[in-house]
Amino acid sequence: MIAPFDIVILLLVLICAIAAISVKDLLSAVIILGAYSFLMCLLWSEMGAVDVAFTEASVSAGIGTVLLIAAVSKTKRRSKD
Amino acid sequence: MDNFFLWLGMGLFFLVLLCLYRGVFGPGVLNRVAAISAIGTKTLVILLIMGYIYQRVDMFVDISMVYALLNFLGTITVAKYLEMSGEI
Amino acid sequence: MEVTVLIQTADKAFEILEKARNEARELLYSSAKIASETKSLEAKRAEQAFLSGAQHTKLAIRNYTLTFFMLFAFWVLLSGRLDLFHLTLGVLSCLLISYLSYDLLFANVRIGDIRIMFKRFFAAAPWFLSQIFTANLHVAYLALSPKMPIDPSILRFNTKLESDISWVALANSITLTPGTITIDIRDGEFFVHAIDKKVASDLDTGEMEDKIAHVFMEADHIYIQDILDVSRIFGELK
Amino acid sequence: MTRLTDDIIIRAVARIMIPFIQIYALYVIMHGHHSPGGGFQGGVILGASFILYLITHGLEEARARMSELKAGIFSASGLLIYSGIGLLCLILGSNFLDYGRLSLILKVIPAQARSLGILGVEIGVGITVMAVMFSIFFDISTGGIIPEDEEIKEENG
């Protein structure tokens, strides 16, 4: 537990989460979600849960972004609302 | 020595914040992709710094290795999507 | 006197070599065209097997063993546990991976080249590092000076390199040097974005291309590095 | 997402990277019991290497290396390894996946038998996860339609 890292990472995660749900473009939302998962991995490993951080890293960097983009390629990019 | 690495990590977080500005507000997808891949490389270094602070570098090297090997996969996929949908 | 005769004969030999090389290249291009025009994968495979003939199995075995040893070195570096159990696991998994992907890592490397290639790579590495360092300083100067004296342009040039792996090495070392980015390679034509006149003129001298050609043993042109090598021998003769 | 495009840099770099990604994935699977990682994470990384091959080399070549039939066989066989080890423990007279009893077959002490049993189970999990991840991406990106099949269908009727 490193207190200053903790506060800063939480702040950045919050920024990423708000941006990911408020952006209109689906592809941009997927990309910001990638940044969210990077910072989430940092948060897990900072709290000492190395195995969870490893899972987060491999799933998000290897599969998650690719699967979401493949799903976006089957739909329209812009959301209606 | 720990203090030094702590401040190094804080400096890298400041750089992440700068990249995140481009990622969140950046006009268009291309700016965002560049910003996010820069954040990925910074994440790798911050993980190693944390490993040094916790005195368990051997565990944290494994996680940062995953990022080193797989970080470019998302970028390639976005580029391929943009090429195939005919936007560039 | 003897030296001039030697040079003349060398010139003639190079001319003959050039002619033969051009013919061989045309033949290769036509065969490659046939291979790329046939659509299905099976037909392409049959074409490849026909072209490479008896060398194919030998090449496959060589690729297999080289990939195995390279992957095993990587495994030992990762694992760090040198007891019998983990080394056995390492041998098994390296066998599996080199069976799965023996045609990926050393696909276009010619037989016997690898050791010389490594030697030349390490000999050429300091030059690349110094190039990257000076370009870094220049780009930092451009970014920090308040007027931003940039002059972006796109260069396009035809390369004299031939194998695709050396194209990729050239493209990546151009991208690694700050200020220049390779945008695309289309049939051996490079599209490079340069930030400044100075960086572009540095690239235009073709020194980097020569170094890459020297490392990857694109043997049948005369490059600056070869001339330097030969001139030293001539100096000793005199 | 699976159409072949003419980008030589990405293809060559992926060709060099893929064996190292695969050997790293196997390292993660095999060293799951004394460093972070394990069957699931290693399987995901192994699947990512095949996905990288599919993205960079196009559908046709990727199907020659890893077809959907092979993916199905792999996912089933990984599950077979997992449940086979569990059932072996059950047959030897203890609980499901209680590896200590495997020492009767392997002729080693129970602690080492536990280690070997966990290794086998993680290999099974890794194979299954790899095949399933690959086939999920394959199905999403092709939409279940493979160009060859369409041509054959058009020729037939």
Side-chain angles (χ1 to χ4, degrees):
Chain A
M1 192 81 182
I2 312 165
F5 275 21
D6 208 4
I7 295 163
V8 174
I9 296 170
L10 270 174
L11 194 72
L12 293 176
V13 165
L14 208 61
I15 294 172
C16 272
I18 291 171
I21 57 172
S22 65
V23 75
K24 288 281 190 291
D25 189 4
L26 281 183
L27 191 61
S28 301
V30 170
I31 295 165
I32 297 172
L33 211 61
Y36 173 82
S37 70
F38 283 150
L39 296 169
M40 213 57 204
C41 168
L42 276 181
L43 191 58
W44 292 128
S45 62
E46 187 267 335
M47 287 187 165
V50 183
D51 225 338
V52 185
F54 200 97
T55 311
E56 177 81 40
S58 59
V59 170
S60 75
I63 300 288
T65 316
V66 179
L67 281 185
L68 284 174
I69 290 170
V72 168
S73 75
K74 292 284 156 195
T75 61
K76 290 262 167 55
R77 239 179 81 186
R78 294 268 163 195
S79 65
K80 283 274 171 56
D81 48 289
Chain B
M1 204 60 186
D2 264 14
N3 231 350
F4 171 69
F5 278 103
L6 205 66
W7 282 109
L8 207 61
M10 294 307 276
L12 280 169
F13 274 122
F14 179 66
L15 292 182
V16 168
L17 187 66
L18 291 185
C19 286
L20 209 58
Y21 173 77
R22 197 40 77 208
V24 171
F25 294 105
V29 177
L30 296 175
N31 282 321
R32 289 192 169 111
V33 170
I36 297 317
S37 76
I39 287 179
T41 54
K42 283 172 186 52
T43 307
L44 199 152
V45 183
I46 292 173
L47 274 171
L48 289 179
I49 286 173
M50 269 181 204
Y52 191 84
I53 292 175
Y54 280 127
Q55 305 285 322
R56 292 301 303 268
V57 185
D58 53 335
M59 280 195 167
F60 285 76
V61 162
D62 282 0
I63 309 175
S64 58
M65 194 88 182
V66 175
Y67 277 134
L69 285 174
L70 291 182
N71 196 9
F72 70 112
L73 187 53
T75 313
I76 285 178
T77 318
V78 175
K80 189 118 184 177
Y81 171 76
L82 289 175
E83 188 182 4
M84 284 181 59
S85 63
E87 290 182 32
I88 323 177
Chain C
M1 185 61 203
E2 284 161 358
V3 173
T4 53
V5 169
L6 208 64
I7 290 175
Q8 276 170 4
T9 48
D11 276 350
K12 232 167 224 175
F14 272 125
E15 266 175 26
I16 293 167
L17 265 179
E18 191 85 1
K19 221 179 259 173
R21 196 182 59 86
N22 281 339
E23 280 175 15
R25 191 200 253 174
E26 268 169 25
L27 209 69
L28 253 176
Y29 273 168
S30 57
S31 64
K33 220 176 233 175
I34 293 169
S36 66
E37 274 169 6
T38 50
K39 260 191 177 174
S40 74
L41 197 65
E42 301 296 321
K44 216 182 262 185
R45 284 225 170 127
E47 199 82 28
Q48 260 181 11
F50 178 72
L51 281 177
S52 50
Q55 268 209 324
H56 194 264
T57 50
K58 197 182 162 191
L59 210 65
I61 290 171
R62 185 192 65 115
N63 281 345
Y64 195 102
T65 48
L66 271 178
T67 312
F68 174 79
F69 282 114
M70 202 148 176
L71 290 180
F72 191 67
F74 189 59
W75 171 279
V76 170
L77 198 70
L78 279 173
S79 163
R81 290 168 193 272
L82 294 176
D83 51 292
L84 188 65
F85 178 64
H86 287 97
L87 282 184
T88 317
L89 283 181
V91 168
L92 285 180
S93 42
C94 289
L95 278 177
L96 179 67
I97 298 300
S98 47
Y99 171 70
L100 277 178
S101 50
Y102 65 92
D103 53 342
L104 292 180
L105 201 54
F106 290 103
N108 286 329
V109 182
R110 279 160 291 178
I111 296 176
D113 281 356
I114 292 166
R115 225 182 291 167
I116 307 172
M117 246 161 67
F118 270 110
K119 229 181 263 174
R120 289 186 176 186
F121 173 74
F122 285 114
W127 185 83
F128 281 104
L129 287 180
S130 71
Q131 198 75 7
I132 289 167
F133 187 71
T134 52
N136 249 319
L137 287 184
H138 183 66
V139 172
Y141 160 72
L142 285 183
L144 289 178
S145 60
K147 276 186 188 173
M148 282 258 278
I150 57 172
D151 183 17
S153 59
I154 289 185
L155 304 171
R156 40 190 292 186
F157 60 90
N158 274 311
T159 177
K160 53 192 174 182
L161 306 175
E162 278 146 24
S163 67
D164 56 346
I165 194 82
S166 52
W167 287 358
V168 171
L170 178 59
N172 276 341
S173 46
I174 286 174
T175 308
L176 191 62
T177 319
T180 47
I181 290 175
T182 310
I183 300 168
D184 203 357
I185 306 176
R186 253 178 238 151
D187 303 326
E189 192 177 18
F190 277 63
F191 292 76
V192 178
H193 176 271
I195 197 172
D196 191 11
K197 280 263 166 55
K198 178 180 175 294
V199 181
S201 62
D202 274 1
L203 190 63
D204 245 357
T205 57
E207 202 177 352
M208 185 176 275
E209 200 176 347
D210 283 340
K211 291 270 182 189
I212 296 279
H214 185 67
V215 168
F216 281 94
M217 304 190 67
E218 305 268 339
D220 23 37
H221 290 278
I222 308 172
Y223 294 113
I224 295 172
Q225 192 69 39
D226 295 335
I227 290 172
L228 285 180
D229 286 354
V230 169
S231 68
R232 204 177 58 224
I233 298 169
F234 275 144
E236 281 178 12
L237 275 181
K238 276 173 187 171
Chain D
M1 203 59 61
T2 55
R3 189 163 22 111
L4 183 62
T5 50
D6 187 36
D7 32 28
I8 192 163
I9 300 176
I10 289 176
R11 230 180 305 157
V13 171
R15 222 182 56 209
I16 295 169
M17 289 288 283
I18 282 171
F20 290 101
I21 296 176
Q22 284 171 342
I23 201 73
Y24 182 70
L26 285 190
Y27 158 77
V28 169
I29 292 177
M30 303 288 180
H31 288 242
H33 43 281
H34 36 56
S35 64
F40 181 78
Q41 291 93 329
V44 166
I45 299 170
L46 201 56
S49 78
F50 283 108
I51 288 175
L52 180 61
Y53 192 80
L54 176 59
I55 289 173
T56 53
H57 283 68
L59 188 60
E60 213 170 320
E61 284 182 57
R63 283 186 77 211
R65 195 167 290 264
M66 185 79 175
S67 61
E68 58 269 44
L69 177 68
K70 263 189 204 168
I73 291 172
F74 271 129
S75 65
S77 64
L79 206 59
L80 194 70
I81 292 173
Y82 178 86
S83 56
I85 290 174
L87 282 178
L88 201 61
C89 301
L90 205 62
I91 288 168
L92 290 175
S94 79
N95 289 325
F96 188 70
L97 288 178
D98 187 3
Y99 319 105
R101 202 50 85 86
L102 284 177
S103 58
L104 294 180
I105 302 177
L106 297 171
K107 305 269 192 287
V108 287
I109 53 170
Q112 208 169 358
R114 280 206 184 88
S115 165
L116 287 174
I118 288 175
L119 183 65
V121 164
E122 281 189 346
I123 289 172
V125 171
I127 293 172
T128 304
V129 169
M130 180 268 288
V132 169
M133 288 295 168
F134 180 77
S135 59
I136 286 174
F137 180 74
F138 193 91
D139 288 344
I140 290 181
S141 59
T142 58
I145 302 162
I146 295 157
E148 275 177 34
D149 294 353
E150 277 193 335
E151 283 170 18
I152 293 168
K153 241 179 230 169
E154 280 170 11
E155 279 170 14
N156 286 343

